[in-house]
Amino acid sequence: YRLFYFLGRLLSFSLAGLLAGELGAVLHVFLKQYYLAEIVSFGCGIAMMGWGCQKLIGWQSKLQGPSKKFTPLNTLHQWVSTLLLKDTGWATFLFGFFTVALPCGQTLVVFSACALAGDAWVGLGNGFAFALLTTPSLVVAMHTLTLFKKFKQYDRIILGSCSVVVGFLACCRGLAEMGWISRWVINPEAPTP
């Protein structure tokens, strides 16, 4: 039933990207009205860069994880975990679908970037691409646990570096919106919105 798991994961990550992009668009319109979009973009960028630097230096914060006593997602996590024990296609699909709700730093960075894009369709595409492109690593992880033990030291470097880059781009976007730096345009001949 592994195919059902990956189908559920693709669907949920795509929908989460769509929602993050739409939420970003709505927040952008609301915050732009009060000239706060620039500050939020810059603030999110600083937060992502800080989180990335924290991953790079390996520092553990007490604020990093939820309390073990009670979390709002505890019930969902327990229910999703019980799906692993069932040997049906539907349970496997649901497990894949609800993996988006499990805490993961990578998904936080990806969906933050989707929200900063401020476009539901861009978010949908990015969520789908993220789920699709991380699928091979999950397939490899299912079969080669010992291989990942050897390379585990690099996951923090890769995740931290990517977070710093995305955070830096978000800061640059905020600074460009404030007019403090010029915009970087990939295609200068393209019509501006």
Side-chain angles (χ1 to χ4, degrees), residues 8 36 41 49 54-55 58 75 87 92 112 121-122 136 148 164-165 176:
L36 296 174
S41 181
M49 285 175 34
Q54 178 183 340
K55 287 299 273 184
T75 306
D87 194 23
T92 308
S112 296
W121 299 112
V122 170
F148 276 102
V164 169
V165 169

Side-chain angles (χ1 to χ4, degrees), residues 17-178:
L18 177 92
L19 291 173
E22 188 60 29
L23 179 64
V26 169
L27 282 176
H28 182 75
V29 169
F30 174 75
L31 297 175
K32 191 74 170 170
Q33 184 178 13
Y34 298 104
Y35 304 103
L36 296 174
E38 301 86 359
I39 296 168
V40 169
S41 181
F42 188 76
C44 287
I46 293 290
M48 282 191 276
M49 285 175 34
W51 186 82
C53 289
Q54 178 183 340
K55 287 299 273 184
L56 284 171
I57 63 174
W59 181 63
Q60 295 291 331
S61 170
K62 291 183 181 180
L63 301 174
Q64 196 169 8
S67 169
K68 297 288 183 188
K69 294 178 184 174
F70 173 78
T71 64
L73 294 176
N74 242 2
T75 306
L76 178 63
H77 292 174
Q78 290 173 353
W79 179 73
V80 168
S81 297
T82 61
L83 291 174
L84 281 174
L85 302 175
K86 298 179 181 178
D87 194 23
T88 66
W90 180 244
T92 308
F93 174 82
L94 287 176
F95 177 73
F97 186 83
F98 286 108
T99 55
V100 74
L102 299 174
C104 175
Q106 284 179 301
T107 56
L108 177 65
V109 171
V110 168
F111 295 128
S112 296
C114 290
L116 285 172
D119 186 323
W121 299 112
V122 170
L124 175 76
N126 284 329
F128 180 81
F130 176 70
L132 188 65
L133 295 174
T134 55
T135 297
S137 66
L138 290 174
V139 171
V140 170
M142 288 177 185
H143 299 288
T144 57
L145 181 62
T146 56
L147 174 69
F148 276 102
K149 283 183 180 177
K150 293 179 185 175
F151 294 107
K152 180 131 178 84
Q153 61 190 2
Y154 299 112
D155 70 338
R156 148 179 93 75
I157 294 169
I158 293 168
L159 183 57
S161 300
C162 291
S163 299
V164 169
V165 169
V166 170
F168 177 75
L169 292 174
C171 286
C172 289
R173 179 180 183 218
L175 292 173
E177 290 281 331
M178 289 183 227

